[in-house]
Amino acid sequence: MSAVAQSTQGSTKKSPPTKKPKGLNDAQRRQGLLLVLPTLAFLAAVILYPLVRAVFDSFKKDEGLDPATGLFVQGGSAGVSNYTHWLLQQCGNVDCPPGTLGAQFYSAFWVTLFFTVVSVVVEIGLGMWFAMIMNRDFKGRGLVRAAILVPWAIPTAVTAKLWFFIFAFDGIANKLLGFVGIPAQLWTSDPTAAKFAIIIADVWKTTPFMALLILAGLQLIPGDVYEAAQIDGATKWQTFVRITLPLVKVPLMVAVLFRTLDVLRIYDLPAILTNGGGGTTSLSMLVIDQIRQGGFNNASALSTIIFLLIAIVAFLFIRFGGADVIQRPPTSKKKDDDAPTRGQAAQVGNPVAANATSTGA
Amino acid sequence: MALRMNKRHTFTVLAGAVSVALVAAACGGGGGGGNAAASSGADARGPITYVQGKDNSNLLAPQAARWNAAHPTEKVTIKEQSDQADQQHDDLVQNFQAKSTAYDVVSVDVVWTAEFAAKGWLTPLKDKFALPTTGFLAPTVKAATYNNTLYAAPTSSDGAMLYYRSDLVKTPPKTFDEMWSMCSIAKQNGMDCYAGQFAKYEGGTCNATEWMNAYGAKVVDDAGKPTVDSPEAAAGLKALADHYKNGDIPKQAITYQEEQSRAAFQDGKLLFLRNWPYVYNLASTDASSKVKGKFAVAPLPGVDGPGTSTLGGHMAAISAFSKNKATALDFLKFLTSPEEQKTNMEKGSLAPVIESIYTDQALVAKYPYLPTLKESISNAVSRPVTPFYPAVSKAIQENFYAAIQGQKTPEAAVKDMQAAMQAASG
């Protein structure tokens, strides 16, 4: 008790005009640092070191063959050649010919983006729908919730293998298509069908995750807001667009962020389901292929490129998309807390509507 | 359990490090260099570890028991890896890179030999480690050789054969033209004509290489230089693409790996199938097989006569970091002995590397496909022996796969193949 009192006193004395005091004196700060130090050290070892090491390695040349002995020798410094290999498609002094990994970079880049955009958009729609169903009160809700969550509980490798059998030429997908008169598709080889095979399997697996996060957001919306809307005579669609969507926006954006980052580094699903057939090689698969070909340093360069890509996307989401994964200072939170208490009856429509228009603009 | 294994492993590694340090100290002042590891433990004997992919036919345990009974002081410990070739490769690479002494004898796929040898991870089988290879099938020895030095002992081989429906086709086709002309029989019976494994994976490389070789192409020359950009190679791919387009090869064949193509043949949907010997037993004994007693095998067809198969199989090599290399060499000799080879054939249908076993009357009576298999392996062409094999294989896969679907002309495909191979090994 006295410590707290002391600390507030101390800190206010030191810097009264600047930010609100944090309420910690130097000794406490040191102790706090000491307490988080093991965690920081651990994170540095398992996250920072591999990252820095990969960047460091990406500027080294891969081992080359000494033609005289037929043995591999260390490559030395590479400058930025490992990066130009991917970004400018340069294999040595020539453009990478089709059939090399370098030549696949842009197709892998675009197909990864394609997977990301399409599956995340579909998942938002389906996830929202599932979440609204799960949020409702009805008989057997527990059962429905469990059923919706099952795909998420299955490991991705198993999911991929399941869909591999479903999409086999003699598999059930083609049988079902046959009943409605659509000719059998080559789901693991055809350039169009293969991409949709991946998206279908990915959506099947991860929609529950999306639904779960959205559901958590929905449950935070107080019921009286809806009651008020009902009294005002809002239609179901108006309620959804003007109340549910704005209020669920933050958790929704966090879910979208998670899923986007997830799909950007997708590996296991296409690796097992199509193994890159029909142009479905993702960026992460390219890294593994490069490692298998013995080019660790080159693969480090590609990993770094993917890391930067994901970092940029994450930054854009947090900065402009409103995915508030980092807790904002309490001022903005206070406003949110106030809204339901202040918002009685007809009043409630206003802040929500204002909120919606501001995001629209 | 896992913890204990881990501890023991750590201990082995530590013990290994200490002993290496002792050896180094003992020869203090020597030039050392890159070969220090390779020459240490040359005369040493003691327990060894043999590493191999998953043993599906339960051959390894009895085999190890036979060795251990005869060598009580130099017992072998078996380590089984996963059943996926890529994962086996990754596991070996990790251990070699760490210069781990945990693995003494490793089982190596034919296509990895050059890469491992060039990295200096395998003990060359020469001088003190010379391994007699007389009586072995020549292509198997050639595939274990890199830079004129033998690096591994072939332990099992593999060659593809043509499975055909003997109830529908009386004499098997010897040439491609004969085979394509029989496609009308398939049509009459409402089935597909011919399939191999044309998915984009290692099996696709095997199949595409066979077609190019059959038309007289050489993927790489004897010095390992890519020579695939030739009219012959283009002709091979063109034949594939043409017959894929006209339906002699069903469209789903580009999704086929070994098992899917076997399933199609077993279900009676395919007249001719190119596949490995393992299919024979399964197609004749599987409960679901609809072709029991209705099929036979023949050598792969070619342009004018029998064609050439791609060589498959495994070899055993001694790790450069092994501490007990003398024992390891004895173990290689044990693995390649006629008795063990015969047992592996009988119990696990593994194709032997010793020529005389293929003419063993008792065995031929039981496995009628043996003479065909011998012919297939004797004429087999190994895949390019190069330390950059994964990149070379990728170059073949990507381009043949585009060519068979008509996305690029056969001429352009072989040109790109050649360029990609050169870029990979540059």
Side-chain angles (χ1 to χ4, degrees):
Chain A
M1 268 304 280
S2 62
V4 176
Q6 240 179 13
S7 73
T8 41
Q9 264 180 6
S11 47
T12 37
K13 242 185 239 168
K14 264 177 205 163
S15 51
T18 51
K19 270 193 228 160
K20 233 181 145 189
K22 286 269 160 64
L24 284 178
N25 63 22
D26 283 354
Q28 282 174 322
R29 210 164 283 179
R30 231 174 293 130
Q31 195 191 11
L33 197 68
L34 212 67
L35 286 172
V36 294
L37 208 61
T39 312
L40 287 181
F42 182 74
L43 288 180
V46 299
I47 296 178
L48 199 64
Y49 170 72
L51 249 165
V52 172
R53 182 63 197 261
V55 174
F56 178 72
D57 280 349
S58 68
F59 292 104
K60 288 196 296 188
K61 242 199 195 92
D62 282 316
E63 290 183 322
L65 201 65
D66 180 351
T69 57
L71 298 179
F72 278 100
V73 286
Q74 290 296 329
S77 165
V80 293
S81 71
N82 285 335
Y83 287 92
T84 56
H85 173 237
W86 299 111
L87 296 173
L88 305 178
Q89 318 258 287
Q90 281 173 349
C91 292
N93 301 321
V94 293
D95 285 352
C96 290
T100 54
L101 295 177
Q104 287 186 42
F105 175 76
Y106 282 103
S107 90
F109 178 82
W110 289 118
V111 86
T112 308
L113 281 192
F114 176 75
F115 288 157
T116 310
V117 172
V118 177
S119 51
V120 170
V121 166
V122 176
E123 281 162 22
I124 292 174
L126 285 179
M128 186 65 98
W129 183 38
F130 284 2
M132 309 258 285
I133 292 174
M134 289 194 281
N135 196 33
R136 239 177 258 159
D137 258 328
F138 59 93
K139 225 178 172 183
R141 182 170 74 161
L143 203 69
V144 171
R145 281 188 181 183
I148 287 179
L149 284 180
V150 164
W152 180 247
I154 299 175
T156 312
V158 178
T159 307
K161 209 69 196 173
L162 281 175
W163 284 97
F164 174 80
F165 290 121
I166 292 174
F167 283 134
F169 186 75
D170 295 321
I172 189 141
N174 277 341
K175 283 260 159 60
L176 291 178
L177 285 183
F179 287 134
V180 289
I182 300 171
Q185 301 288 318
L186 298 178
W187 287 105
T188 54
S189 300
D190 181 76
T192 316
K195 289 183 186 90
F196 283 97
I198 303 273
I199 287 172
I200 291 169
D202 193 44
V203 166
W204 180 82
K205 182 184 160 59
T206 48
T207 299
F209 172 76
M210 199 69 132
L212 204 64
L213 286 190
I214 297 174
L215 177 64
L218 287 180
Q219 288 181 334
L220 287 178
I221 304 176
D224 46 6
V225 184
Y226 287 109
E227 272 171 36
Q230 215 173 358
I231 291 167
D232 283 354
T235 63
K236 274 197 170 163
W237 177 247
Q238 278 173 323
T239 319
F240 176 73
V241 175
R242 301 212 162 179
I243 296 180
T244 310
L245 265 189
L247 287 180
V248 86
K249 191 192 143 205
V250 170
L252 177 67
M253 285 314 284
V254 171
V256 170
L257 173 71
F258 281 0
R259 280 300 305 145
T260 306
L261 303 192
D262 233 17
V263 193
L264 281 176
R265 54 184 173 73
I266 191 168
Y267 172 76
D268 34 13
L269 190 63
I272 296 171
L273 183 52
T274 60
N275 193 22
T280 51
T281 303
S282 70
L283 283 172
S284 297
M285 286 171 72
L286 217 50
V287 176
I288 300 292
D289 280 348
Q290 183 65 43
I291 290 176
R292 292 231 162 97
Q293 294 194 359
F296 286 94
N297 299 332
N298 223 327
S300 297
L302 183 54
S303 300
T304 309
I305 294 172
I306 300 177
F307 171 73
L308 290 177
L309 173 75
I310 293 180
I312 291 170
V313 171
F315 172 77
L316 291 179
F317 259 100
I318 293 170
R319 187 74 184 74
F320 301 108
D324 194 7
V325 273
I326 307 159
Q327 287 277 321
R328 292 274 161 79
T331 44
S332 63
K333 208 179 164 193
K334 213 174 178 183
K335 214 194 275 170
D336 285 349
D337 288 343
D338 280 352
T341 44
R342 211 174 353 110
Q344 292 294 329
Q347 280 272 4
V348 83
N350 291 338
V352 168
N355 205 349
T357 45
S358 74
T359 51
Chain B
M1 182 63 193
L3 187 70
R4 213 192 316 159
M5 292 243 307
N6 236 332
K7 266 189 181 162
R8 199 177 54 190
H9 183 78
T10 320
F11 175 71
T12 338
V13 173
L14 274 179
V18 169
S19 65
V20 167
L22 284 178
V23 170
C27 340
N35 276 330
S39 57
S40 77
D43 295 317
R45 294 189 165 276
I48 54 169
T49 303
Y50 175 53
V51 186
Q52 193 202 288
K54 187 161 168 49
D55 174 24
N56 288 320
S57 337
N58 193 25
L59 295 173
L60 266 181
Q63 200 164 32
R66 285 194 294 277
W67 165 270
N68 288 343
H71 305 81
T73 58
E74 304 165 47
K75 285 196 171 159
V76 64
T77 311
I78 302 292
K79 190 201 156 179
E80 267 185 67
Q81 301 164 304
S82 93
D83 59 350
Q84 295 283 320
D86 283 342
Q87 291 167 4
Q88 296 163 16
H89 180 264
D90 294 350
D91 177 54
L92 290 178
V93 168
Q94 280 165 15
N95 270 277
F96 285 139
Q97 277 184 330
K99 299 190 178 10
S100 159
T101 54
Y103 293 177
D104 295 286
V105 179
V106 293
S107 177
V108 178
D109 193 293
V110 277
V111 293
W112 305 337
T113 326
E115 179 196 348
F116 290 176
K119 294 265 187 188
W121 292 337
L122 305 182
T123 307
L125 300 182
K126 60 180 184 188
D127 307 329
K128 218 182 250 180
F129 291 105
L131 183 95
T133 54
T134 39
F136 284 21
L137 291 165
T140 65
V141 178
K142 203 179 156 207
T145 306
Y146 176 66
N147 260 359
N148 300 319
T149 309
L150 187 70
Y151 276 92
T155 49
S156 72
S157 189
D158 228 346
M161 305 188 289
L162 185 74
Y163 291 80
Y164 66 97
R165 289 286 296 272
S166 49
D167 56 335
L168 302 172
V169 173
K170 289 293 160 249
T171 45
K174 285 199 176 56
T175 66
F176 291 134
D177 287 340
E178 278 177 43
M179 183 170 83
W180 299 129
S181 70
M182 292 174 183
C183 283
S184 55
I185 303 175
K187 215 167 266 168
Q188 283 159 19
N189 290 282
M191 51 207 289
D192 290 318
C193 186
Y194 169 87
Q197 295 77 40
F198 300 118
K200 195 167 74 175
Y201 78 121
E202 183 59 30
T205 303
C206 294
N207 277 262
T209 315
E210 268 164 19
W211 277 84
M212 294 190 289
N213 286 337
Y215 277 80
K218 270 193 136 178
V219 177
V220 292
D221 67 7
D222 290 336
K225 286 245 157 21
T227 51
V228 74
D229 186 7
S230 66
E232 292 86 5
L237 290 187
K238 186 175 182 319
L240 262 189
D242 287 350
H243 289 278
Y244 182 71
K245 201 173 167 197
N246 75 12
D248 288 345
I249 301 172
K251 74 167 182 173
Q252 62 269 32
I254 59 165
T255 66
Y256 279 176
Q257 300 190 0
E258 279 82 0
E259 282 297 88
Q260 288 93 328
S261 63
R262 175 175 75 90
F265 186 73
Q266 274 187 199
D267 288 348
K269 292 177 186 161
L270 211 51
L271 186 61
F272 298 111
L273 168 71
R274 174 257 179 233
N275 213 331
W276 307 98
Y278 85 99
V279 170
Y280 196 93
N281 279 346
L282 290 173
S284 23
T285 57
D286 241 22
S288 63
S289 173
K290 292 178 184 153
V291 296
K292 276 179 215 164
K294 292 184 193 165
F295 75 96
V297 289
L300 292 179
V303 176
D304 307 311
T308 47
S309 163
T310 297
L311 187 74
H314 279 80
M315 5 208 147
I318 306 174
S319 160
F321 314 106
S322 163
K323 285 178 298 159
N324 295 318
K325 293 204 175 84
T327 304
L329 181 65
D330 284 353
F331 190 67
L332 292 197
K333 289 176 181 160
F334 167 78
L335 287 177
T336 50
S337 66
E339 300 78 41
E340 293 303 320
Q341 290 279 307
K342 213 169 148 177
T343 314
N344 283 352
M345 172 67 218
E346 284 177 309
K347 300 263 166 68
S349 303
L350 290 183
V353 295
I354 297 173
E355 209 165 345
S356 59
I357 296 179
Y358 289 90
T359 45
D360 184 312
Q361 285 312 311
L363 275 180
V364 173
K366 227 166 137 192
Y367 305 99
Y369 64 88
L370 272 183
T372 308
L373 179 58
K374 185 194 164 192
E375 197 178 335
S376 167
I377 295 176
S378 311
N379 294 325
V381 178
S382 63
R383 281 161 279 174
V385 177
T386 154
F388 302 101
Y389 183 75
V392 167
S393 176
K394 194 94 189 166
I396 296 175
Q397 285 169 38
E398 294 284 341
N399 287 300
F400 109 85
Y401 190 72
I404 191 173
Q405 297 181 74
Q407 290 161 356
K408 60 170 84 156
T409 64
E411 289 76 19
V414 293
K415 192 162 169 265
D416 288 342
M417 239 180 234
Q418 167 113 350
M421 284 182 195
Q422 276 161 349
S425 46

